[in-house]
Amino acid sequence: MQQPFNYDVIIIGSGAAGLTTALQLPSTARIAIFSKDSLSAGSTYWAQGGIAAVLDQTGDNIDQHIQDTLIAGAGLCNEYAVRHIVENGRDSIEWLINQGVPFTPDNTVDRPFDFHLTREGGHSARRIIHAADATGRAISDTLLEQAKSKPNINLFDHHLAIDLINTCKLGNFSNSITDNNEHRCVGAYILDLKTDQIKVFRSRCTVLASGGASKAYLYTSNTDGASGDAIAMAWRAGCRVANMEFNQFHPTCLYHPNAKSFLISEAVRGEGGQLKRPDGSRFMKEYDHREELAPRDIVARAIDHEMKRLGSDCLYLDISHKPAEFIRSHFPTIYERCLSYDIDITKDPIPIVPAAHYTCGGIFVDKYGQTDSKGLFAVGECSFTGLHGANRLASNSLLECFVSAKSCAQIISETIHQYPEPPALPDWDESQVTDSDENVVISHNWDELRRFMWDYVGIVRTTKRLQRAMNRVELLQSEINEFYSNFKISNDLIELRNLAQVSELIIRCAMSRKESRGLHYTLDYPNPVEHPEDTILIPESYEPLQQTEWKTQESVLA
């Protein structure tokens, strides 16, 4: 039996949410942070636009930001969650500035925050603070440096979480398990991708912060790691998930055979970029009075409709009417990347297509990120706080990361003494499995899954398409589970298993919603219902927590 790794808190994910949680915990807590790739490989690093927060009180206020969020969320936002996160935005920005994040300055204005603020689709004011067009990179680099400087934080790159360990599933292995068989998370099995060794990590508290599941789709702006690992693990651990039907498709991903997953920021449209057909004509005024500044779901559907109507492989985003120096100074990363593909955005329109971008649903949590399993928390894109509703407002996602992470760290700091030392845990059992000589099955299933999700569960859906998708995902899951049970696990197999599970949850949620709302648009139910509700899926092993204040979003956020 190998010696387990013992920590007070383990955090699965090294992006904005995970790093912020770690840095806001007490220095006395022993913390481990895991990334399945390099420490900066997640979605945070590639975020271009910025963070939405009310910083300029002369032209903006909290109620305006709340109202913009509720409008974008199409009647499904939890107003308590929205107010909690928006009201704490300024404090989060001040904390990031104190950490050393180099936001873009603006010395031409007279306000307490002398940083440049931009505007994005769905916002009624300039409130997006950013670091040029590489905000995520600035945040990731800064917070990683801070984490590396803390002696109580251990960082593990190329370590992939396989599954969570719950006391109620350990059977008679440990005498330390409580008599009432409580539903408590006590650690995780982690695959060291450098050595292929499966390690046991024990912890009093576990935080899931590994992002969303956009890799379920054939075209995505996300990195390869966005395979829904946290959501799938939490579901298998008996936690509820909610609103998985709301997958945000970013309207403008660079269309080029060599440009893998490169996003053209929302801010390009915020600064005057115009969407055009191949003949150069504009079209957004035919879909929404806000034109290019309409929320993303409206813009993505408009582009999708125009592409299908015209039979075009892509459309165009044109900002070349702006001064060249303005473009180069505001969008240096986009300018350089496009130039590397012989596209000079100071002269030429940018070829674009919609791509899966953000998972608005996720693991059901309360104000503090607590899930349905004691000691298990979720923050960031993998969680469902109620902020985004049926459609995420641009740049609210990073805001949610920082506010939710602070709240999560606060409750862990206050209650960690209540969690006893975890019991003895069993090693990972590989005695009944062998090496596989049929890895082609994994690659084939991976490709099939992402293709039918794109075709049947994409921007526009129908009941028949969703049923076809469900039939296929069930067959795939049967094959994957058989493979998982008989062969040694690998990175690709773990991710495929998680993606198939999350895809099933997306399809189930989409089939349950008999209306069109926000990011969920179905031709069979084109109109919204009068009284919409969240789509909450409950696993068979679900056991609600005893604390009444954790049972509903409303009671804890009021």
Side-chain angles (χ1 to χ4, degrees), residues 110-424:
D110 181 19
R111 58 175 177 240
F113 280 77
D114 57 347
F115 296 99
H116 183 264
L117 302 178
T118 190
R119 183 181 174 188
E120 296 179 345
H123 289 275
S124 59
R126 285 183 172 266
R127 64 168 70 102
I128 315 301
I129 188 170
H130 60 99
D133 63 346
T135 308
R137 184 192 309 171
I139 292 169
S140 179
D141 288 347
T142 302
L143 297 187
L144 272 174
E145 284 304 309
Q146 289 288 348
K148 289 175 182 178
S149 70
K150 308 297 183 184
N152 65 313
I153 298 177
N154 295 145
L155 297 159
F156 295 86
D157 60 355
H158 297 92
H159 277 66
L160 172 60
I162 304 169
D163 254 328
L164 302 169
I165 305 173
N166 280 288
T167 52
C168 62
K169 292 186 177 181
L170 289 177
N172 298 319
F173 179 83
S174 173
N175 294 326
S176 302
I177 300 175
T178 57
D179 293 335
N180 64 358
N181 203 29
E182 70 175 353
H183 192 237
R184 177 185 162 214
C185 182
V186 290
Y189 291 112
I190 308 285
L191 173 62
D192 183 341
L193 296 172
K194 300 174 185 176
T195 64
D196 284 334
Q197 179 187 6
I198 299 173
K199 302 173 180 178
V200 182
F201 281 83
R202 297 198 313 167
S203 61
R204 295 174 183 267
C205 295
T206 300
V207 180
L208 298 172
S210 59
S214 289
K215 204 64 181 179
Y217 289 94
L218 185 61
Y219 301 111
T220 174
S221 64
N222 285 198
T223 61
D224 288 340
S227 50
D229 302 332
I231 299 169
M233 286 191 295
W235 175 259
R236 291 193 293 265
C239 298
R240 289 170 293 173
V241 300
N243 284 13
M244 292 297 293
E245 69 269 39
F246 298 119
N247 304 278
Q248 188 172 67
F249 289 80
H250 197 287
T252 54
C253 201
L254 178 62
Y255 179 76
H256 190 280
N258 299 324
K260 183 180 179 182
S261 303
F262 185 70
L263 183 72
I264 305 300
S265 171
E266 186 98 6
V268 174
R269 286 185 285 124
E271 293 295 341
Q274 300 172 350
L275 288 166
K276 296 182 177 180
R277 301 182 180 99
D279 65 3
S281 62
R282 296 177 66 183
F283 59 89
M284 274 309 302
K285 63 183 177 182
E286 300 171 21
Y287 293 89
D288 194 279
H289 71 276
R290 291 164 290 189
E291 301 185 3
E292 279 79 6
L293 291 178
R296 288 177 179 177
D297 61 321
I298 295 172
V299 178
R301 278 201 302 274
I303 294 172
D304 182 69
H305 184 268
E306 287 291 323
M307 287 174 59
K308 289 175 179 175
R309 184 179 70 84
L310 298 170
S312 177
D313 291 332
C314 68
L315 296 185
Y316 296 88
L317 178 60
D318 191 359
I319 197 169
S320 62
H321 54 280
K322 290 282 189 176
E325 183 53 37
F326 173 90
I327 296 171
R328 285 191 290 263
S329 63
H330 277 70
F331 308 111
T333 305
I334 296 173
Y335 172 77
E336 292 294 339
R337 178 63 71 91
C338 288
L339 200 61
S340 71
Y341 301 120
D342 296 322
I343 303 167
D344 185 347
I345 68 173
T346 66
K347 301 176 182 177
D348 307 314
I350 308 167
I352 52 93
V353 292
H357 182 58
Y358 192 86
T359 306
C360 288
I363 306 161
F364 194 97
V365 298
D366 67 13
K367 173 182 177 180
Y368 302 103
Q370 173 70 62
T371 72
D372 292 317
S373 180
K374 288 184 179 179
L376 179 64
F377 300 81
V379 290
E381 189 176 353
C382 68
S383 69
F384 168 74
T385 63
L387 171 67
H388 305 305
N391 182 24
R392 176 179 71 96
L393 182 64
S395 292
N396 267 358
S397 50
L398 282 174
L399 174 66
E400 181 185 45
C401 284
F402 301 120
V403 175
S404 297
K406 181 180 179 181
S407 296
C408 180
Q410 174 189 339
I411 200 66
I412 291 176
S413 302
E414 293 174 357
T415 63
I416 195 168
H417 64 279
Q418 299 175 9
Y419 296 97
E421 193 73 25

Side-chain angles (χ1 to χ4, degrees), residues 53-74:
V54 177
L55 304 176
D56 182 4
Q57 298 287 350
T58 60
D60 197 9
N61 60 64
I62 294 294
D63 288 337
Q64 274 184 252
H65 190 178
I66 290 172
Q67 191 62 25
D68 291 345
T69 301
L70 296 177
I71 291 171

Side-chain angles (χ1 to χ4, degrees), residues 1 22 35 68 79 103 113 125 151 153 167 247 251 271 274-275 349 374 381 426 467 475 511 522 526 533-534 557:
M1 181 175 180
S35 172
D68 291 345
E79 292 190 36
F103 291 114
F113 280 77
I153 298 177
T167 52
N247 304 278
E271 293 295 341
Q274 300 172 350
L275 288 166
K374 288 184 179 179
E381 189 176 353
Q467 188 58 60
L475 287 173
M511 293 178 73
T522 170
E533 296 181 353
D534 293 324
L557 292 167

